[in-house]
């Protein structure tokens, strides 16, 4: 996904918090989709390199364990988070949005902690060829992001962010009016950081990972890789970007009129209902 595609695409701390929304956008398919989450996760990892059958078996085992853990431990937390998002109203402030982001971050941290030891063990089995294949995968993905950003240079940052919020609102069943869109554009002008910074940070992290993988015979390998994977949880410096995003989201939700709010709540209730079915079927 290119950096211009989604206002929250780089926000790792909401990636798992909104997993339920992204996977359960159709309540009829929600249970079917979730029950195959381990397969989709495994297939995602398979894209990184040409793994052996034994390595693929290990990945499938880990993702299956993750599904079982996630269904019993985390899905109720996703549900509670969505209910909090659904209950946001005209009194919503940036403090409310920040707290939701923090809760989303805790969900990411839990999943990160689940996968980290398994990833460290798995990486010990990588061959030099596979490490270079992973490096090539990272390089192509970064190049794709940069090309996407270059293609969007004819569009101002304000318009790009406004379109992203518009798409997110539409996904939640809300069509924003001209006044709301103008407010988003005006707030977006407060962002001082360039879009390229998030790409460069990711590129630096990728290169650090490859350096560690190339030295997997080092006595410090386990510690170095664990610390590097956990660095994904570090607070990233994005200038005032995050603060402005919180203001945009809070302002937009607080401005919803009665008709918009009903559609917003109805849409999120669909997600809550889907999660209830998953919780029931996995008990």
């Amino acid at each position: 996904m290119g950096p211009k595609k989604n206002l929250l695409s780089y926000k790792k701390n909401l990636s798992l918090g909104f997993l339920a929304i992204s996977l359960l956008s159709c309540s009829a398919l929600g249970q079917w989709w979730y029950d195959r989450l381990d397969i989709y996760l495994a297939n995602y990892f398979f894209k990184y390199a040409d793994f052996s059958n034994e390595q693929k078996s290990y990945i499938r085992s880990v993702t299956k364990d993750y599904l079982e853990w996630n269904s019993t431990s985390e899905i109720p937390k996703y549900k509670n988070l969505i209910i909090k998002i659904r209950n946001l109203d005209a009194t919503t402030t940036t403090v409310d949005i920040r707290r939701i982001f923090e809760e989303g971050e805790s969900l990411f941290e839990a999943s990160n902690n689940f996968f980290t030891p398994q990833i460290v063990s798995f990486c010990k089995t990588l061959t030099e060829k596979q490490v270079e294949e992973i490096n090539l995968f990272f390089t192509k993905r970064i190049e794709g992001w940069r090309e996407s950003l270059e293609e969007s240079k004819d569009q101002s940052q304000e318009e790009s962010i406004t379109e992203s919020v518009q798409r997110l609102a539409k996904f939640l069943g809300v069509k924003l009016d001209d006044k709301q869109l103008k407010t988003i554009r005006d707030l977006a002008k407060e962002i001082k950081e360039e879009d390229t910074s998030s790409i460069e940070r990711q590129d630096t992290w990728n290169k650090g990972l490859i350096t560690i993988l190339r030295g997997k015979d080092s006595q410090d390998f386990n510690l170095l890789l664990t610390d590097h994977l956990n660095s994904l949880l570090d607070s990233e410096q994005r200038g005032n970007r995050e603060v402005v995003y919180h203001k945009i989201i809070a302002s937009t939700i607080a401005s919803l009129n009665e008709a918009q709010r009903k559609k917003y709540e109805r849409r999120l209730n669909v997600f809550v209902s889907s999660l209830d079915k998953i919780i029931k079927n996995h008990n």
Side-chain angles (χ1 to χ4, degrees):
M1 181 180 292
K4 72 174 183 176
K5 297 296 184 183
N6 190 328
L7 170 65
L8 299 176
S9 62
Y10 76 96
K11 291 299 295 181
K12 66 180 185 297
N13 55 353
L14 278 186
S15 61
L16 291 173
F18 283 97
L19 175 64
I21 293 179
S22 61
L23 297 187
L24 307 173
S25 56
C26 175
S27 59
L29 293 177
Q31 180 68 48
W32 183 90
W33 225 114
Y34 184 79
D35 286 343
R36 287 155 182 78
L37 175 61
D38 59 323
I39 298 174
Y40 291 107
L41 284 174
N43 288 337
Y44 175 79
F45 284 115
F46 293 162
K47 296 177 182 178
Y48 282 79
D50 183 16
F51 298 121
S52 67
N53 289 335
E54 185 177 356
Q55 288 172 320
K56 288 182 178 180
S57 178
Y58 180 85
I59 291 173
R60 291 190 182 99
S61 175
V62 170
T63 55
K64 184 177 181 180
D65 289 344
Y66 174 78
L67 175 60
E68 293 176 359
W69 167 78
N70 185 267
S71 62
T72 57
S73 172
E74 302 302 283
I75 285 295
K77 298 175 186 176
Y78 297 153
K79 174 187 171 183
N80 290 337
L81 179 60
I82 293 176
I83 288 174
K84 290 178 181 179
I85 296 171
R86 181 198 64 190
N87 292 342
L88 294 172
D89 56 24
T91 66
T92 299
T93 66
T94 55
V95 173
D96 298 320
I97 300 303
R98 187 177 71 246
R99 286 173 178 165
I100 284 176
F101 269 60
E102 289 172 350
E103 188 166 339
E105 186 174 57
S106 70
L107 292 175
F108 176 86
E109 182 174 356
S111 285
N112 180 81
N113 292 340
F114 178 93
F115 277 115
T116 293
Q118 283 82 2
I119 291 175
V120 171
S121 295
F122 176 78
C123 286
K124 290 181 180 179
T125 72
L126 294 175
T127 65
E128 292 182 5
K129 181 175 180 292
Q130 288 171 333
V131 171
E132 296 313 314
E133 287 174 344
I134 294 171
N135 185 36
L136 180 60
F137 177 87
F138 282 157
T139 299
K140 288 183 177 179
R141 185 166 62 177
I142 291 293
E143 288 175 352
W145 287 353
R146 285 173 175 154
E147 289 173 2
S148 178
L149 186 61
E150 185 67 27
E151 292 171 0
S152 68
K153 278 191 173 179
D154 58 339
Q155 184 182 42
S156 70
Q157 178 171 251
E158 297 83 57
E159 289 302 322
S160 177
I161 291 174
T162 302
E163 285 187 6
S164 295
V165 177
Q166 218 172 353
R167 284 194 295 269
L168 178 59
K170 185 177 180 180
F171 176 73
L172 294 174
V174 177
K175 181 179 180 181
L176 301 176
D177 59 34
D178 292 340
K179 183 178 180 181
Q180 289 166 326
L181 294 175
K182 182 180 183 303
T183 299
I184 294 170
R185 291 190 194 95
D186 290 342
L187 288 172
K189 292 177 182 178
E190 298 179 14
I191 295 177
K192 300 173 183 178
E193 186 186 32
E194 295 296 328
D195 280 343
T196 54
S197 57
S198 60
I199 299 176
E200 300 311 317
R201 278 193 296 268
Q202 184 65 59
D203 190 30
T204 298
W205 189 91
N206 292 348
K207 290 175 179 176
L209 175 62
I210 295 300
T211 298
I212 294 171
L213 295 181
R214 285 171 176 163
K216 68 184 182 70
D217 293 330
S218 166
Q219 290 184 342
D220 297 329
F221 177 75
N222 285 18
L223 178 61
L224 290 172
L225 182 54
T226 298
D227 286 347
H228 194 68
L229 294 172
N230 287 338
S231 70
L232 286 171
L233 303 175
D234 293 344
S235 177
E236 299 176 9
Q237 297 301 315
R238 300 191 183 90
N240 69 333
R241 182 177 292 271
E242 184 172 290
V243 173
V244 175
Y245 282 169
H246 290 178
K247 289 172 65 175
I248 289 173
I249 296 171
S251 173
T252 302
I253 292 176
S255 71
L256 297 179
N257 59 40
E258 184 176 354
Q260 290 173 323
R261 191 167 301 283
K262 285 183 178 179
K263 292 180 178 178
Y264 169 84
E265 293 174 353
R266 187 181 304 125
R267 182 66 165 165
L268 288 169
N269 278 334
V270 170
F271 304 143
V272 171
S273 177
S274 294
L275 290 174
D276 278 333
K277 291 178 183 177
I278 290 174
I279 293 170
K280 180 180 179 180
N281 289 338
H282 283 268
N283 282 338

